[in-house]
Amino acid sequence: MKTIDELLADGVSGKRVFVRADLNVPLADGTITDDGRIRAVLPTIKALVDAGAKVVVASHLGRPKGAPDPAFSLLPAAERLGELLGAPVAFAQDTVGPAAHDAVGGLQPGQVAVIENLRFNPGETAKDDTDRGEFADRLAALADVYVSDGFGAVHRKHASVFDLPKRLPHYAGYLITTEVGVLKKLTEDVKRPYVVALGGAKVSDKLAVIDELLGKADRLLIGGGMAYTFLKAKGYEVGISLLQEDQIAAVTEYMERAEKQGVELVLPVDVVVSRTFPDLKTKAPTEHTTVDADKIPADQEGLDIGPRTRELYASKLADAATVFWNGPMGVFEHPDYAEGTKAVAQALVDSNGFTVVGGGDSAAAVRTLGFDENAFGHISTGGGASLEYLEGKTLPGLAALED
């Protein structure tokens, strides 16, 4: 794929450059709580601005149902982008209508405009190729060149990700090239020991990547809500913990395969349990205790890995040459259940290996818990995209950039 450096070398002064970014930031009452994804696209936008391009930034935010919804407006993201750039950013209140054309038409070389949430138009996410293509045609009318830099969306076959680059000269931005380079380090000529820590709520979300990693990783550490399906498969009582009964057979098979293939699959030995799920808004203290993983009371649920498991997982990460971590170890948003996630993050910080935080909740946890982002080898902006790449899938947004 061609890169933005090749585009800049050819010259972009005065050209309209469409940057498909990922500004899908978390919002609380209209306020951005984590601007990491906006900061991630800054190098590409700044380079284009400095080269005199007229930069048109587009993204999705949340899951609106193909129609405008003020709760999912990109205006807060556009305002934050302007703050980070230190320059005004125009904002269009539609995607391909008069406001978008006016905003783009009013750009001078070196200026930036953000158009409204792409998913306000049903064509963006349409399953029908013709519907997506029609929306892509209208987006293409806004630009001369396409730059893909929204890694968090490249696993989606959406109009702005898959169809639009086929209609314009297309290039990969700095974030895309960095993310792909990192993922290649996790899949090609991997330095060992290679340790993967997987958490999060649902084991079903991770089955495909576990299947693939059983042939690649040396160790798999399992935590979060998904761990209780593994514990149940071992015959343990898991109380009212998050459980996917329909995945027990698959999990059992994976544990057997891991043993046969010499992959160390490590499960919690103790867990922090409570009778009630914590209030994540007030963060009020809760009653909780720590029990052995095979002694969860029938009326309680596991909400974090326990202290012995934290020490165990840290020891399993200590000698790793390569680490990939995706998914928190517990309900990290509440201080009573953040210690497991914090322990894994600290183990990555202390590691001498190449450490990758796989986006999504893991990236949010790193920032929420106050870790220095520079202490990790790489923090991905796309959890789902990272997992699908590691599963060996073809990502539509990357395939579209290949000539």
Side-chain angles (χ1 to χ4, degrees):
M1 65 180 70
K2 293 181 180 178
T3 69
I4 187 174
D5 284 332
E6 295 174 80
L7 171 61
L8 294 171
D10 291 339
V12 293
S13 182
K15 291 184 178 180
R16 301 171 301 164
V17 180
F18 189 104
V19 177
R20 202 326 181 165
D22 180 8
L23 308 182
N24 185 27
V25 292
L27 296 170
D29 299 323
T31 300
I32 297 171
T33 58
D34 181 357
D35 67 356
R37 284 177 169 167
I38 302 176
R39 287 185 285 111
V41 76
L42 281 179
T44 290
I45 294 175
K46 284 181 175 178
L48 292 168
V49 165
D50 291 345
K54 299 176 180 180
V55 184
V56 183
V57 180
S59 176
H60 69 287
L61 192 153
R63 295 177 183 271
K65 298 179 180 179
D69 183 338
F72 297 107
S73 175
L74 274 175
L75 179 58
E79 291 174 341
R80 180 59 180 150
L81 177 60
E83 292 172 359
L84 292 169
L85 288 172
V89 168
F91 180 70
Q93 294 182 327
D94 59 28
T95 54
V96 290
H101 282 274
D102 288 348
V104 174
L107 290 176
Q108 297 299 312
Q111 292 184 338
V112 179
V114 174
I115 62 175
E116 186 54 285
N117 192 336
L118 292 165
R119 292 184 183 175
F120 284 2
N121 190 302
E124 170 67 1
T125 58
K127 301 295 184 185
D128 184 82
D129 292 348
T130 301
D131 291 343
R132 280 200 328 276
E134 288 177 355
F135 184 50
D137 287 338
R138 297 180 71 187
L139 289 171
L142 296 171
D144 306 304
V145 180
Y146 176 90
V147 172
S148 175
D149 217 32
F151 180 73
V154 293
H155 59 313
R156 306 296 188 190
K157 193 176 182 181
H158 291 170
S160 66
V161 176
F162 179 73
D163 302 272
L164 182 56
K166 297 179 179 180
R167 289 158 166 77
L168 295 170
H170 46 269
Y171 301 82
Y174 291 125
L175 177 60
I176 291 287
T177 55
T178 297
E179 293 273 15
V180 172
V182 166
L183 288 169
K184 285 183 177 179
K185 288 186 179 181
L186 298 177
T187 53
E188 303 172 12
D189 194 25
V190 181
K191 293 184 178 179
R192 299 184 180 279
Y194 178 20
V195 184
V196 177
L198 295 175
K202 294 182 179 179
V203 69
S204 56
D205 293 342
K206 304 292 197 304
L207 284 179
V209 76
I210 292 172
D211 183 57
E212 188 71 18
L213 289 170
L214 282 175
K216 293 185 171 68
D218 298 300
R219 293 180 203 130
L220 290 177
L221 314 181
I222 305 296
M226 62 183 285
Y228 302 102
T229 301
F230 280 85
L231 295 175
K232 185 71 171 180
K234 288 176 67 71
Y236 296 171
E237 168 66 59
V238 297
I240 57 173
S241 304
L242 190 61
L243 175 65
Q244 289 186 282
E245 293 267 8
D246 61 334
Q247 302 298 333
I248 289 177
V251 162
T252 301
E253 180 194 341
Y254 286 158
M255 290 193 291
E256 292 171 351
R257 273 181 54 198
E259 187 173 359
K260 288 178 183 177
Q261 294 177 218
V263 177
E264 194 176 359
L265 197 156
V266 189
L267 300 177
V269 294
D270 62 343
V271 295
V272 182
V273 299
S274 176
R275 287 184 174 83
T276 58
F277 195 84
D279 188 325
L280 300 184
K281 288 188 176 180
T282 66
K283 294 182 170 47
T286 62
E287 289 188 13
H288 57 278
T289 56
T290 299
V291 299
D292 290 345
D294 61 350
K295 292 181 173 61
I296 299 174
D299 64 343
Q300 298 192 40
E301 63 180 318
L303 297 171
D304 194 14
I305 56 174
R308 287 192 294 122
T309 304
R310 294 170 214 152
E311 291 181 11
L312 173 64
Y313 285 11
S315 72
K316 297 295 183 181
L317 290 161
D319 67 342
T322 305
V323 180
F324 175 72
W325 169 36
N326 180 281
M329 296 291 109
V331 186
F332 75 91
E333 299 93 339
H334 193 284
D336 289 348
Y337 308 105
E339 293 304 317
T341 302
K342 196 179 295 183
V344 168
Q346 187 62 53
L348 266 66
V349 170
D350 295 339
S351 170
N352 291 321
F354 178 60
T355 57
V356 179
V357 180
D361 285 341
S362 307
V366 162
R367 299 184 183 106
T368 299
L369 298 174
F371 285 90
D372 180 358
E373 295 179 43
N374 295 319
F376 303 89
H378 179 69
I379 298 178
S380 178
T381 57
S386 295
L387 287 176
E388 291 199 14
Y389 190 102
L390 293 180
E391 289 167 20
K393 290 183 178 179
T394 297
L395 306 188
L398 297 184
L401 297 177
E402 300 292 346
D403 291 310

Short mmCIF file of all heavy atoms in Angstrom, two decimals, residues 333-387:
data_model
loop_
_atom_site.label_atom_id
_atom_site.label_comp_id
_atom_site.label_asym_id
_atom_site.label_seq_id
_atom_site.Cartn_x
_atom_site.Cartn_y
_atom_site.Cartn_z
N GLU A 333 -13.41 0.03 36.14
CA GLU A 333 -14.00 1.36 36.31
C GLU A 333 -14.32 1.67 37.77
O GLU A 333 -14.53 2.83 38.12
CB GLU A 333 -15.28 1.47 35.47
CG GLU A 333 -15.08 1.28 33.97
CD GLU A 333 -15.27 -0.16 33.54
OE1 GLU A 333 -15.18 -1.08 34.40
OE2 GLU A 333 -15.52 -0.39 32.34
N HIS A 334 -14.36 0.63 38.61
CA HIS A 334 -14.64 0.82 40.04
C HIS A 334 -13.37 0.50 40.83
O HIS A 334 -12.74 -0.54 40.60
CB HIS A 334 -15.78 -0.08 40.49
CG HIS A 334 -16.32 0.27 41.84
ND1 HIS A 334 -15.64 -0.05 43.01
CD2 HIS A 334 -17.45 0.93 42.23
CE1 HIS A 334 -16.34 0.38 44.06
NE2 HIS A 334 -17.42 0.99 43.60
N PRO A 335 -12.97 1.38 41.75
CA PRO A 335 -11.70 1.17 42.47
C PRO A 335 -11.61 -0.15 43.24
O PRO A 335 -10.50 -0.67 43.44
CB PRO A 335 -11.61 2.38 43.42
CG PRO A 335 -12.99 2.95 43.46
CD PRO A 335 -13.62 2.64 42.16
N ASP A 336 -12.74 -0.69 43.66
CA ASP A 336 -12.69 -1.95 44.40
C ASP A 336 -12.27 -3.13 43.52
O ASP A 336 -11.83 -4.17 44.04
CB ASP A 336 -14.06 -2.27 45.01
CG ASP A 336 -14.42 -1.35 46.18
OD1 ASP A 336 -13.52 -0.64 46.66
OD2 ASP A 336 -15.59 -1.35 46.60
N TYR A 337 -12.40 -2.96 42.18
CA TYR A 337 -12.15 -4.09 41.29
C TYR A 337 -11.18 -3.73 40.16
O TYR A 337 -11.23 -4.31 39.08
CB TYR A 337 -13.49 -4.59 40.72
CG TYR A 337 -14.50 -4.84 41.81
CD1 TYR A 337 -15.55 -3.95 42.05
CD2 TYR A 337 -14.37 -5.93 42.67
CE1 TYR A 337 -16.45 -4.16 43.09
CE2 TYR A 337 -15.26 -6.15 43.71
CZ TYR A 337 -16.30 -5.25 43.91
OH TYR A 337 -17.19 -5.46 44.96
N ALA A 338 -10.32 -2.77 40.44
CA ALA A 338 -9.36 -2.30 39.43
C ALA A 338 -7.97 -2.91 39.59
O ALA A 338 -7.12 -2.79 38.70
CB ALA A 338 -9.26 -0.78 39.48
N GLU A 339 -7.72 -3.56 40.73
CA GLU A 339 -6.35 -3.98 41.04
C GLU A 339 -5.81 -5.03 40.07
O GLU A 339 -4.62 -5.05 39.77
CB GLU A 339 -6.28 -4.50 42.48
CG GLU A 339 -6.50 -3.42 43.54
CD GLU A 339 -5.53 -2.26 43.41
OE1 GLU A 339 -4.32 -2.51 43.18
OE2 GLU A 339 -5.98 -1.09 43.50
N GLY A 340 -6.67 -5.92 39.58
CA GLY A 340 -6.20 -6.94 38.65
C GLY A 340 -5.73 -6.34 37.34
O GLY A 340 -4.65 -6.67 36.83
N THR A 341 -6.52 -5.43 36.80
CA THR A 341 -6.16 -4.75 35.56
C THR A 341 -4.91 -3.91 35.77
O THR A 341 -4.01 -3.87 34.92
CB THR A 341 -7.33 -3.87 35.09
OG1 THR A 341 -8.48 -4.70 34.90
CG2 THR A 341 -7.00 -3.15 33.80
N LYS A 342 -4.86 -3.26 36.91
CA LYS A 342 -3.69 -2.43 37.24
C LYS A 342 -2.42 -3.29 37.33
O LYS A 342 -1.34 -2.89 36.87
CB LYS A 342 -3.93 -1.73 38.59
CG LYS A 342 -3.00 -0.57 38.88
CD LYS A 342 -3.33 0.08 40.23
CE LYS A 342 -4.69 0.71 40.23
NZ LYS A 342 -4.98 1.40 41.53
N ALA A 343 -2.54 -4.49 37.90
CA ALA A 343 -1.38 -5.37 38.05
C ALA A 343 -0.85 -5.83 36.69
O ALA A 343 0.37 -5.90 36.48
CB ALA A 343 -1.75 -6.58 38.91
N VAL A 344 -1.75 -6.16 35.76
CA VAL A 344 -1.32 -6.58 34.43
C VAL A 344 -0.66 -5.41 33.69
O VAL A 344 0.39 -5.56 33.05
CB VAL A 344 -2.51 -7.14 33.62
CG1 VAL A 344 -2.14 -7.30 32.15
CG2 VAL A 344 -2.94 -8.47 34.20
N ALA A 345 -1.27 -4.23 33.79
CA ALA A 345 -0.68 -3.05 33.15
C ALA A 345 0.72 -2.77 33.72
O ALA A 345 1.67 -2.49 32.97
CB ALA A 345 -1.58 -1.84 33.36
N GLN A 346 0.87 -2.88 35.04
CA GLN A 346 2.17 -2.64 35.66
C GLN A 346 3.19 -3.68 35.22
O GLN A 346 4.37 -3.36 35.01
CB GLN A 346 2.03 -2.67 37.19
CG GLN A 346 3.31 -2.25 37.93
CD GLN A 346 3.72 -0.83 37.61
OE1 GLN A 346 2.93 0.11 37.74
NE2 GLN A 346 4.97 -0.65 37.18
N ALA A 347 2.74 -4.92 35.06
CA ALA A 347 3.66 -5.97 34.59
C ALA A 347 4.16 -5.66 33.18
O ALA A 347 5.33 -5.93 32.86
CB ALA A 347 2.95 -7.33 34.61
N LEU A 348 3.31 -5.08 32.34
CA LEU A 348 3.76 -4.68 31.01
C LEU A 348 4.76 -3.54 31.09
O LEU A 348 5.75 -3.51 30.37
CB LEU A 348 2.56 -4.27 30.14
CG LEU A 348 1.96 -5.37 29.25
CD1 LEU A 348 1.32 -6.46 30.10
CD2 LEU A 348 0.93 -4.78 28.29
N VAL A 349 4.49 -2.59 31.99
CA VAL A 349 5.41 -1.47 32.18
C VAL A 349 6.78 -1.97 32.63
O VAL A 349 7.83 -1.49 32.18
CB VAL A 349 4.84 -0.47 33.21
CG1 VAL A 349 5.88 0.56 33.60
CG2 VAL A 349 3.60 0.22 32.64
N ASP A 350 6.77 -2.96 33.53
CA ASP A 350 8.02 -3.49 34.08
C ASP A 350 8.75 -4.42 33.12
O ASP A 350 9.92 -4.76 33.34
CB ASP A 350 7.73 -4.25 35.39
CG ASP A 350 7.20 -3.34 36.49
OD1 ASP A 350 7.42 -2.12 36.41
OD2 ASP A 350 6.56 -3.86 37.42
N SER A 351 8.06 -4.86 32.07
CA SER A 351 8.64 -5.83 31.14
C SER A 351 9.74 -5.21 30.29
O SER A 351 9.70 -4.03 29.95
CB SER A 351 7.53 -6.37 30.23
OG SER A 351 8.07 -7.14 29.19
N ASN A 352 10.70 -6.04 29.95
CA ASN A 352 11.76 -5.61 29.02
C ASN A 352 11.42 -5.99 27.58
O ASN A 352 12.19 -5.74 26.67
CB ASN A 352 13.09 -6.24 29.41
CG ASN A 352 13.63 -5.70 30.72
OD1 ASN A 352 13.53 -4.50 30.98
ND2 ASN A 352 14.18 -6.57 31.55
N GLY A 353 10.25 -6.62 27.41
CA GLY A 353 9.85 -7.06 26.09
C GLY A 353 9.08 -6.00 25.33
O GLY A 353 8.89 -4.87 25.80
N PHE A 354 8.63 -6.37 24.12
CA PHE A 354 7.81 -5.49 23.29
C PHE A 354 6.36 -5.67 23.72
O PHE A 354 5.80 -6.76 23.59
CB PHE A 354 7.98 -5.85 21.81
CG PHE A 354 7.14 -5.03 20.89
CD1 PHE A 354 7.28 -3.65 20.82
CD2 PHE A 354 6.19 -5.63 20.07
CE1 PHE A 354 6.50 -2.88 19.97
CE2 PHE A 354 5.41 -4.88 19.21
CZ PHE A 354 5.57 -3.50 19.16
N THR A 355 5.76 -4.62 24.26
CA THR A 355 4.43 -4.73 24.86
C THR A 355 3.40 -3.96 24.05
O THR A 355 3.60 -2.79 23.70
CB THR A 355 4.45 -4.18 26.30
OG1 THR A 355 4.91 -2.82 26.29
CG2 THR A 355 5.37 -5.01 27.18
N VAL A 356 2.27 -4.63 23.77
CA VAL A 356 1.20 -4.02 22.98
C VAL A 356 -0.09 -4.09 23.77
O VAL A 356 -0.52 -5.17 24.18
CB VAL A 356 1.02 -4.75 21.63
CG1 VAL A 356 -0.12 -4.11 20.83
CG2 VAL A 356 2.31 -4.72 20.82
N VAL A 357 -0.71 -2.93 23.97
CA VAL A 357 -2.04 -2.85 24.58
C VAL A 357 -3.05 -2.80 23.44
O VAL A 357 -3.02 -1.88 22.62
CB VAL A 357 -2.17 -1.60 25.48
CG1 VAL A 357 -3.56 -1.53 26.11
CG2 VAL A 357 -1.10 -1.62 26.56
N GLY A 358 -3.94 -3.78 23.39
CA GLY A 358 -4.78 -3.98 22.21
C GLY A 358 -6.03 -3.16 22.12
O GLY A 358 -7.09 -3.70 21.76
N GLY A 359 -5.97 -1.89 22.41
CA GLY A 359 -7.10 -1.00 22.17
C GLY A 359 -8.30 -1.25 23.06
O GLY A 359 -8.23 -1.97 24.06
N GLY A 360 -9.43 -0.62 22.70
CA GLY A 360 -10.68 -0.81 23.42
C GLY A 360 -10.58 -0.49 24.89
O GLY A 360 -9.98 0.51 25.30
N ASP A 361 -11.18 -1.36 25.72
CA ASP A 361 -11.21 -1.15 27.16
C ASP A 361 -9.82 -1.21 27.77
O ASP A 361 -9.55 -0.58 28.80
CB ASP A 361 -12.11 -2.18 27.84
CG ASP A 361 -13.59 -1.89 27.62
OD1 ASP A 361 -13.91 -0.74 27.28
OD2 ASP A 361 -14.40 -2.81 27.81
N SER A 362 -8.91 -1.96 27.17
CA SER A 362 -7.54 -2.04 27.71
C SER A 362 -6.85 -0.68 27.62
O SER A 362 -6.21 -0.23 28.56
CB SER A 362 -6.72 -3.09 26.95
OG SER A 362 -7.38 -4.32 26.94
N ALA A 363 -6.99 -0.04 26.46
CA ALA A 363 -6.40 1.29 26.28
C ALA A 363 -7.06 2.29 27.22
O ALA A 363 -6.38 3.14 27.83
CB ALA A 363 -6.56 1.74 24.83
N ALA A 364 -8.38 2.20 27.36
CA ALA A 364 -9.09 3.10 28.27
C ALA A 364 -8.63 2.88 29.71
O ALA A 364 -8.46 3.84 30.48
CB ALA A 364 -10.60 2.87 28.17
N ALA A 365 -8.41 1.62 30.07
CA ALA A 365 -7.97 1.31 31.44
C ALA A 365 -6.61 1.90 31.73
O ALA A 365 -6.38 2.46 32.81
CB ALA A 365 -7.94 -0.21 31.64
N VAL A 366 -5.70 1.80 30.77
CA VAL A 366 -4.36 2.34 30.95
C VAL A 366 -4.43 3.83 31.28
O VAL A 366 -3.74 4.33 32.18
CB VAL A 366 -3.51 2.10 29.68
CG1 VAL A 366 -2.29 3.00 29.66
CG2 VAL A 366 -3.10 0.63 29.60
N ARG A 367 -5.29 4.54 30.56
CA ARG A 367 -5.40 5.98 30.78
C ARG A 367 -6.17 6.28 32.06
O ARG A 367 -5.78 7.15 32.84
CB ARG A 367 -6.08 6.64 29.57
CG ARG A 367 -5.29 6.45 28.28
CD ARG A 367 -5.93 7.20 27.10
NE ARG A 367 -5.20 6.94 25.88
CZ ARG A 367 -5.60 6.16 24.89
NH1 ARG A 367 -6.78 5.56 24.97
NH2 ARG A 367 -4.86 5.97 23.82
N THR A 368 -7.26 5.55 32.29
CA THR A 368 -8.08 5.77 33.48
C THR A 368 -7.28 5.53 34.76
O THR A 368 -7.43 6.25 35.75
CB THR A 368 -9.31 4.84 33.47
OG1 THR A 368 -10.09 5.14 32.32
CG2 THR A 368 -10.16 5.04 34.72
N LEU A 369 -6.43 4.53 34.73
CA LEU A 369 -5.66 4.16 35.92
C LEU A 369 -4.37 4.95 36.07
O LEU A 369 -3.60 4.70 36.99
CB LEU A 369 -5.36 2.65 35.89
CG LEU A 369 -6.61 1.75 35.92
CD1 LEU A 369 -6.23 0.29 35.74
CD2 LEU A 369 -7.41 1.94 37.21
N GLY A 370 -4.14 5.88 35.17
CA GLY A 370 -3.04 6.84 35.35
C GLY A 370 -1.68 6.40 34.88
O GLY A 370 -0.66 6.97 35.30
N PHE A 371 -1.60 5.42 34.01
CA PHE A 371 -0.30 4.97 33.51
C PHE A 371 0.22 5.90 32.42
O PHE A 371 -0.55 6.50 31.67
CB PHE A 371 -0.40 3.55 32.96
CG PHE A 371 -0.50 2.49 34.01
CD1 PHE A 371 -1.75 2.07 34.48
CD2 PHE A 371 0.64 1.92 34.55
CE1 PHE A 371 -1.85 1.10 35.47
CE2 PHE A 371 0.55 0.95 35.54
CZ PHE A 371 -0.69 0.54 36.00
N ASP A 372 1.53 6.01 32.34
CA ASP A 372 2.18 6.79 31.29
C ASP A 372 2.10 5.98 30.00
O ASP A 372 2.63 4.87 29.92
CB ASP A 372 3.63 7.05 31.67
CG ASP A 372 4.38 7.86 30.61
OD1 ASP A 372 3.78 8.19 29.56
OD2 ASP A 372 5.58 8.15 30.82
N GLU A 373 1.44 6.52 28.99
CA GLU A 373 1.28 5.79 27.74
C GLU A 373 2.61 5.44 27.10
O GLU A 373 2.74 4.42 26.40
CB GLU A 373 0.42 6.60 26.77
CG GLU A 373 -1.01 6.81 27.24
CD GLU A 373 -1.82 7.64 26.27
OE1 GLU A 373 -1.70 7.41 25.05
OE2 GLU A 373 -2.57 8.53 26.71
N ASN A 374 3.62 6.26 27.33
CA ASN A 374 4.93 6.02 26.72
C ASN A 374 5.67 4.85 27.37
O ASN A 374 6.72 4.43 26.88
CB ASN A 374 5.80 7.28 26.83
CG ASN A 374 5.23 8.43 26.02
OD1 ASN A 374 4.75 8.23 24.91
ND2 ASN A 374 5.26 9.63 26.57
N ALA A 375 5.12 4.33 28.47
CA ALA A 375 5.75 3.20 29.15
C ALA A 375 5.45 1.87 28.43
O ALA A 375 6.04 0.84 28.78
CB ALA A 375 5.29 3.13 30.60
N PHE A 376 4.55 1.90 27.46
CA PHE A 376 4.19 0.69 26.71
C PHE A 376 4.79 0.77 25.32
O PHE A 376 4.98 1.85 24.77
CB PHE A 376 2.67 0.55 26.62
CG PHE A 376 1.99 0.51 27.96
CD1 PHE A 376 1.57 1.68 28.58
CD2 PHE A 376 1.78 -0.70 28.61
CE1 PHE A 376 0.96 1.66 29.83
CE2 PHE A 376 1.17 -0.74 29.86
CZ PHE A 376 0.76 0.44 30.47
N GLY A 377 5.05 -0.39 24.74
CA GLY A 377 5.59 -0.40 23.38
C GLY A 377 4.64 0.23 22.39
O GLY A 377 5.04 1.00 21.52
N HIS A 378 3.35 -0.08 22.54
CA HIS A 378 2.34 0.47 21.64
C HIS A 378 0.97 0.32 22.27
O HIS A 378 0.67 -0.72 22.87
CB HIS A 378 2.36 -0.25 20.29
CG HIS A 378 1.34 0.25 19.31
ND1 HIS A 378 1.41 1.50 18.73
CD2 HIS A 378 0.20 -0.32 18.84
CE1 HIS A 378 0.36 1.66 17.92
NE2 HIS A 378 -0.38 0.58 17.98
N ILE A 379 0.15 1.35 22.16
CA ILE A 379 -1.25 1.27 22.57
C ILE A 379 -2.09 1.41 21.31
O ILE A 379 -2.11 2.46 20.67
CB ILE A 379 -1.61 2.37 23.58
CG1 ILE A 379 -0.77 2.22 24.86
CG2 ILE A 379 -3.10 2.29 23.94
CD1 ILE A 379 -1.03 3.29 25.90
N SER A 380 -2.78 0.35 20.96
CA SER A 380 -3.56 0.35 19.73
C SER A 380 -4.82 1.20 19.88
O SER A 380 -5.37 1.34 20.97
CB SER A 380 -3.96 -1.08 19.34
OG SER A 380 -4.76 -1.08 18.18
N THR A 381 -5.27 1.74 18.76
CA THR A 381 -6.53 2.51 18.75
C THR A 381 -7.71 1.65 18.33
O THR A 381 -8.84 2.14 18.30
CB THR A 381 -6.42 3.71 17.79
OG1 THR A 381 -6.08 3.22 16.48
CG2 THR A 381 -5.35 4.69 18.25
N GLY A 382 -7.46 0.38 18.00
CA GLY A 382 -8.54 -0.46 17.51
C GLY A 382 -8.52 -1.86 18.10
O GLY A 382 -7.79 -2.73 17.62
N GLY A 383 -9.32 -2.08 19.13
CA GLY A 383 -9.36 -3.40 19.75
C GLY A 383 -9.92 -4.45 18.82
O GLY A 383 -9.33 -5.52 18.63
N GLY A 384 -11.08 -4.17 18.22
CA GLY A 384 -11.70 -5.14 17.31
C GLY A 384 -10.84 -5.40 16.09
O GLY A 384 -10.69 -6.55 15.65
N ALA A 385 -10.27 -4.34 15.51
CA ALA A 385 -9.42 -4.50 14.33
C ALA A 385 -8.17 -5.31 14.66
O ALA A 385 -7.76 -6.17 13.89
CB ALA A 385 -9.04 -3.12 13.78
N SER A 386 -7.58 -5.04 15.82
CA SER A 386 -6.39 -5.79 16.24
C SER A 386 -6.70 -7.27 16.37
O SER A 386 -5.94 -8.13 15.90
CB SER A 386 -5.87 -5.26 17.59
OG SER A 386 -5.42 -3.93 17.48
N LEU A 387 -7.81 -7.59 17.04
CA LEU A 387 -8.18 -8.99 17.23
C LEU A 387 -8.42 -9.70 15.90
O LEU A 387 -7.96 -10.83 15.70
CB LEU A 387 -9.42 -9.10 18.12
CG LEU A 387 -9.22 -8.79 19.60
CD1 LEU A 387 -10.56 -8.83 20.34
CD2 LEU A 387 -8.24 -9.75 20.25
#
